[in-house]
């Protein structure tokens, strides 16, 4: 949430910063702004709305400079307006700050500063930072005064934040700070970059250093100095990134979301290539987890938010049904304020596409602390599932399963979800194989099915995209949708509904099909279409009966089903077709037409599919 970029070096800073913001815009797009030091003065240009507006303003306000910071905002405190846009400055125009995060004690600091005569121009929490910093700066700062003022400021702030700071008296210095919100430094030749996400830096360098919590860095054209919050000098070395998956181009697709839907066969294949060995081996899965995880785990707890929470629900089904391990799935945002009593020998799994979701990280950190306090009474492990192994998640968990989903730009998750599901299939099979809860034959059959998935996803996209687009045209005016599924496809009903709400702004609910008659069926009439996931398997007939109950209330029925399924054909008004597949593997296929349905409805309505209103890709605030 919110994106920060910074540059110091020998090139013209503005275009580098604006291009960086473009690559971070998925983190928020309520406003954007840039600050540079030009001819000994601090210049700040800000605009409400998307980056396009800032670009336009910059055509007439040119401030050539070799140093600058920039920001794209997702509003937390204060409406999306120019006066609330970052960078924020102190009242003397000496200091400019961009922030990603929330300053929890800003009211108290603001009151203090107002008493001292400071005047504020925004409703944001961020504005207290430059004002406070300015109050710590001597009239003629020199040497380390800027750094010392930053340290004093940072030690007063409570909350989770990442900062980029410029001071007019230091025209070749950017100071950045990380406290529970991500920041990465890029190393060039006589130039240095910083950003909330490496995507903004990769066009310039692949040599990076991820700041850790509690670190301050000073960037000048001659190098980077690293400190802790006591200003003790730290030494860590940058590393080279593997840039194979860092592509942020649409590659000819109209939207990133559509491109990412099309990438899903490759994502599944990549996950299989990394983690599946020859079926003839004793155990065909090689996740290489700590052996204690396999021996000690008596129950599993999954912590996640949003779409990742839906992946966790499928994970629960797999871990319980294939590996026989009792599993619970918790919303991280709820769990952190009402944790369950600790059970010994628990494996906690944090699932997060970005690896930066504040609630998920906080819930995992809390569990880590609780486990440390109790470690003599049982064995606890914390595992992460993410497509961003370099993210903050790595600082909280003991081990990561890299989903190999690659970077996702569309705000609505598609390929990340599929990659998370794949990780759960492999994890459940790994446990099942090691613990002998499934026969070798059964495991080999499932593995065989997994290997067919890339081709089957490709088939759905190739054969169904046009049909689904045609169906979507009928629903651009629809106000409400219901999605139903049972068993392993209940989470897919939730995910289908979430995709639709997020990008088309149509109210949609996902329900376990059997629950409809306990209340939600009262919503149904001819104006409320029902999407039912009915693939061959244990709950097939049950879902069809539930769909019939909806039809009897005049609901228009759309089935996610196979065209070879004659019974389904006779029940549904429209079919979003998927190939015949074992029910166990079906979520990987049934979610694809639902992603396409949501995509096409939103695109037909002319909405901003990749940057839906009020949302951001990385939810780094609570
Ligand atoms: C929905 C979506 C969100 C995220 C949620 C958690 O399409 O993307 O619901 O799933 O914000 O984000 P991560 O997975 O980054 O922790």
């Amino acid at each position: 949430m919110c994106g920060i970029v910074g540059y110091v070096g020998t090139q013209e800073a503005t275009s580098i910063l604006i291009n960086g913001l473009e690559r971070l815009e998925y983190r928020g797009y309520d406003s954007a702004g840039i600050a540079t030091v030009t001819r000994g003065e601090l210049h700040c240009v800000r605009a409400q709305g998307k980056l396009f507006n800032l670009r336009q303003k910059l055509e007439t306000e040119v401030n050539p400079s070799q140093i600058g910071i920039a920001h794209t905002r997702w509003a937390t405190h204060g409406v999306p307006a120019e006066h609330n846009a970052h960078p924020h400055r102190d009242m003397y125009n000496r200091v400019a700050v961009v922030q990603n995060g929330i300053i929890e004690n800003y009211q108290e600091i603001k009151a203090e500063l107002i008493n001292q005569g400071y005047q504020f121009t925004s409703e944001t929490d961020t504005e207290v930072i430059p004002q406070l910093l300015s109050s710590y700066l001597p009239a003629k700062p020199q040497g380390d005064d800027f750094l010392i003022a930053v340290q004093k400021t940072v030690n007063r702030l409570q909350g989770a934040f990442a900062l980029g700071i410029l001071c007019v008296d230091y025209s070749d210095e950017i100071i950045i700070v990380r406290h529970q919100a991500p920041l990465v430094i890029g190393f060039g030749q006589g130039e240095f970059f910083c950003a909330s996400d490496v995507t903004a830096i990769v066009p310039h360098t692949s040599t990076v250093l991820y700041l850790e919590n509690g670190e301050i860095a000073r960037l000048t054209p001659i190098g980077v100095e690293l400190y802790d919050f006591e200003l003790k000098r730290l030494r860590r070395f940058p590393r080279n990134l593997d840039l194979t998956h860092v592509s942020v181009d649409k590659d000819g697709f109209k939207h990133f979301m559509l491109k990412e839907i099309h990438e899903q066969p490759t994502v599944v294949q990549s996950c299989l290539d990394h983690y599946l060995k020859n079926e003839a081996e004793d155990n065909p899965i090689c996740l290489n987890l700590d052996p204690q995880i396999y021996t000690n785990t008596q129950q599993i707890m999954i912590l996640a938010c949003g779409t990742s929470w839906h992946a966790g629900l499928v994970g629960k089904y797999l871990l319980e049904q294939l590996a026989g391990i009792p599993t619970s799935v918790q919303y991280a945002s709820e769990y952190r304020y009402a944790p369950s009593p600790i059970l010994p020998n628990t494996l906690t799994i944090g699932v997060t596409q970005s690896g930066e979701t504040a609630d998920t990280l906080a819930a995992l950190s809390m569990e880590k602390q609780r486990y440390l306090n109790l470690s003599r009474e049982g064995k606890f492990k914390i595992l992460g599932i993410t497509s961003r192994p370099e993210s903050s998640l790595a600082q909280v968990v003991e081990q990561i399963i890299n989903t190999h989903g690659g970077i996702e730009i569309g705000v609505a998750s598609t390929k990340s979800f599929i990659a998370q599901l794949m990780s759960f299939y492999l994890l459940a099979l790994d446990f099942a194989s090691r613990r002998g809860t499934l026969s070798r034959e059964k495991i080999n059959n499932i593995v065989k099915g997994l290997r067919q998935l890339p081709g089957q996803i490709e088939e759905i996209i190739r054969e169904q995209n046009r049909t689904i687009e045609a169906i979507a045209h009928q629903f651009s005016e629809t106000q409400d949708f219901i999605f139903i599924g049972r068993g392993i496809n209940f989470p897919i009903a939730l995910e289908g509904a979430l995709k639709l709400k997020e990008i088309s702004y149509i109210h949609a609910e996902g329900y376990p099909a059997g629950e409809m008659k306990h209340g939600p069926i009262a919503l149904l009439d001819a104006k409320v279409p029902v999407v039912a996931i009915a693939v061959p398997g244990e709950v097939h007939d049950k879902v069809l009966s539930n769909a019939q109950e909806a039809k009897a209330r005049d609901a228009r029925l759309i089935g996610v089903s196979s065209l070879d399924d004659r019974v389904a054909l006779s029940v549904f008004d429209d079919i979003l077709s998927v190939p015949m597949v074992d029910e166990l593997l079906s979520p990987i296929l049934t979610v694809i037409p639902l992603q396409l349905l949501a995509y096409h409805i939103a695109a037909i309505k002319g909405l901003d599919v990749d940057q839906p209103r009020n949302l951001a890709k990385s939810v780094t605030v609570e």
Side-chain angles (χ1 to χ4, degrees):
M1 244 157 206
C2 296
I4 293 176
V5 202
Y7 173 78
V8 58
T10 50
Q11 300 187 62
E12 214 295 289
T14 304
S15 57
I16 293 177
L17 294 170
I18 294 298
N19 290 341
L21 285 188
E22 193 166 43
R23 289 167 162 259
L24 291 185
E25 211 182 6
Y26 67 88
R27 297 177 73 90
Y29 27 84
D30 289 331
S31 63
I34 177 171
T36 51
V37 180
T38 309
R39 292 184 290 275
E41 271 183 38
L42 196 56
H43 287 275
C44 196
V45 183
R46 308 182 295 177
Q48 184 182 340
K50 296 203 171 172
L51 192 54
F52 174 80
N53 299 343
L54 179 65
R55 273 187 195 284
Q56 280 204 320
K57 266 192 151 182
L58 285 169
E59 279 172 17
T60 50
E61 292 194 40
V62 185
N63 300 303
S65 179
Q66 282 85 45
I67 187 166
I69 53 176
H71 186 269
T72 180
R73 178 170 188 243
W74 187 85
T76 58
H77 296 66
V79 294
E82 187 175 327
H83 69 281
N84 287 327
H86 299 216
H88 286 284
R89 286 166 292 170
D90 67 314
M91 62 185 277
Y92 304 110
N93 204 31
R94 300 168 79 196
V95 178
V97 173
V98 287
Q99 194 228 161
N100 167 26
I102 288 184
I103 308 304
E104 284 165 2
N105 59 338
Y106 83 102
Q107 302 269 33
E108 171 197 323
I109 299 174
K110 190 167 177 174
E112 217 174 89
L113 289 164
I114 288 173
N115 263 340
Q116 291 171 33
Y118 280 84
Q119 286 160 15
F120 284 76
T121 57
S122 79
E123 294 102 50
T124 66
D125 53 339
T126 304
E127 197 183 354
V128 299
I129 305 172
Q131 305 271 35
L132 185 63
L133 210 159
S134 172
S135 77
Y136 292 136
L137 272 178
K140 287 197 175 15
Q142 49 187 330
D144 285 342
D145 284 345
F146 178 26
L147 182 68
I148 291 166
V150 170
Q151 183 232 4
K152 284 185 184 159
T153 305
V154 161
N155 283 309
R156 286 285 321 271
L157 304 178
Q158 287 165 14
F161 50 84
L163 310 177
I165 313 170
L166 277 188
C167 175
V168 73
D169 301 295
Y170 292 77
S171 59
D172 61 353
E173 210 168 287
I174 299 177
I175 297 188
I176 61 174
V177 181
R178 179 191 161 126
H179 180 64
Q180 291 170 20
L183 264 184
V184 57
I185 303 171
F187 288 66
Q189 297 286 338
E191 56 181 3
F192 296 89
F193 308 81
C194 62
S196 305
D197 189 336
V198 76
T199 45
I201 287 177
V202 290
H204 309 286
T205 177
S206 58
T207 310
V208 300
L209 178 73
Y210 284 88
L211 279 200
E212 291 183 1
N213 286 333
E215 288 185 345
I216 300 175
R218 172 154 64 183
L219 278 56
T220 70
I222 53 169
V224 172
E225 296 161 14
L226 206 58
Y227 299 90
D228 67 11
F229 280 8
E230 303 304 317
L231 288 193
K232 196 168 105 231
R233 189 77 187 266
L234 305 171
R235 293 202 190 279
R236 289 195 300 111
F237 296 100
R239 63 185 168 96
N240 275 322
L241 274 186
D242 169 12
L243 298 180
T244 347
H245 293 294
V246 190
S247 156
V248 282
D249 294 318
K250 288 194 196 131
D251 293 342
F253 286 94
K254 195 166 170 210
H255 296 102
F256 279 109
M257 183 181 178
L258 190 59
K259 176 194 168 205
E260 287 156 0
I261 290 173
H262 279 75
E263 281 172 352
Q264 293 179 115
T266 318
V267 166
V268 172
Q269 191 58 54
S270 164
C271 201
L272 295 176
D273 292 346
H274 277 93
Y275 298 124
L276 267 189
K277 290 188 294 193
N278 196 325
E279 269 95 302
E281 305 263 343
D282 261 1
N283 173 12
I285 321 294
C286 58
L287 289 171
N288 288 329
L289 299 182
D290 176 346
Q292 287 193 6
I293 288 183
Y294 301 109
T295 47
N296 295 338
T297 301
Q298 284 173 4
Q299 59 274 317
I300 293 177
M301 186 181 47
I302 299 171
L303 294 170
C305 301
T307 285
S308 298
W309 185 80
H310 297 158
L313 291 178
V314 177
K316 168 184 162 69
Y317 185 101
L318 296 170
L319 289 159
E320 291 188 335
Q321 305 308 316
L322 301 183
I325 307 173
T327 302
S328 65
V329 190
Q330 309 277 354
Y331 284 118
S333 54
E334 288 293 316
Y335 187 82
R336 56 187 292 197
Y337 297 109
S340 320
I342 292 188
L343 290 171
N345 304 320
T346 298
L347 169 66
T348 298
I349 306 179
V351 190
T352 162
Q353 162 273 133
S354 60
E356 300 294 349
T357 299
D359 284 318
T360 306
L361 295 184
L364 289 170
S365 302
M366 180 186 75
E367 284 311 84
K368 194 170 169 179
Q369 196 49 54
R370 294 208 305 161
Y371 294 161
L372 281 175
N373 297 343
L374 277 176
S375 57
R376 262 172 286 129
E377 293 166 38
K379 307 225 163 26
F380 303 95
K381 289 277 171 201
I382 305 193
L383 186 68
I385 295 184
T386 186
S387 45
R388 304 297 299 272
E390 76 288 353
S391 63
S392 304
L393 180 69
Q395 293 177 25
V396 182
V397 301
E398 287 152 292
Q399 211 174 348
I400 277 180
I401 300 180
N402 180 355
T403 65
H404 296 283
I407 288 179
E408 189 174 65
I409 302 291
V411 163
S413 255
T414 51
K415 65 172 183 167
S416 295
F417 178 66
I418 286 285
Q420 291 167 347
L421 293 191
M422 285 304 294
S423 303
F424 276 119
Y425 277 99
L426 295 168
L427 182 64
L429 284 176
D430 199 7
F431 267 113
S433 170
R434 288 166 190 264
R435 294 190 167 187
T437 52
L438 287 183
S439 69
R440 272 317 305 264
E441 193 191 349
K442 178 85 182 149
I443 290 177
N444 281 349
N445 279 342
I446 299 174
V447 167
K448 213 183 273 170
L450 288 174
R451 288 198 192 281
Q452 286 174 9
L453 290 172
Q456 290 170 323
I457 302 172
E458 239 164 55
E459 183 186 327
I460 297 173
I461 297 172
R462 191 180 56 243
E463 310 278 321
Q464 290 297 305
N465 193 23
R466 281 280 138 78
T467 316
I468 294 173
E469 186 176 7
I471 293 175
H473 273 280
Q474 302 164 38
F475 297 112
S476 55
E477 300 298 319
T478 302
Q479 306 269 319
D480 305 279
F481 257 91
I482 302 283
F483 290 71
I484 56 174
R486 280 183 103 137
I488 198 166
N489 274 303
F490 160 55
I492 304 304
L494 294 177
E495 178 60 8
L498 179 60
K499 287 292 88 90
L500 190 64
K501 325 187 224 219
E502 278 184 295
I503 59 171
S504 71
Y505 317 146
I506 294 175
H507 169 243
E509 299 292 343
Y511 284 103
E515 279 296 300
M516 286 296 290
K517 56 187 164 299
H518 298 291
I521 201 165
L523 292 170
L524 297 187
D525 61 24
K527 287 196 249 120
V528 184
V530 173
V531 180
I533 306 168
V535 290
E538 186 156 5
V539 292
H540 175 258
D541 297 350
K542 308 282 174 205
V543 176
L544 287 181
S545 304
N546 299 138
Q548 296 275 23
E549 288 156 14
K551 198 171 189 171
R553 273 82 191 171
D554 287 336
R556 168 99 181 257
L557 281 189
I558 303 158
V560 178
S561 203
S562 164
L563 282 176
D564 299 324
D565 181 344
R566 294 190 172 282
V567 193
L569 281 182
S570 67
V571 172
F572 294 117
D573 299 306
D574 295 287
I575 296 264
L576 311 179
S577 158
V578 292
M580 280 284 194
V581 69
D582 188 335
E583 187 180 32
L584 186 78
L585 300 177
S586 63
I588 301 266
L589 301 185
T590 51
V591 75
I592 310 285
L594 299 184
Q595 295 169 342
L596 285 168
L597 182 68
Y599 169 78
H600 284 302
I601 293 179
I604 289 162
K605 290 176 85 173
L607 297 172
D608 191 341
V609 172
D610 287 331
Q611 295 181 344
R613 69 184 180 203
N614 307 338
L615 298 180
K617 186 78 187 154
S618 294
V619 187
T620 54
V621 294
E622 194 179 334

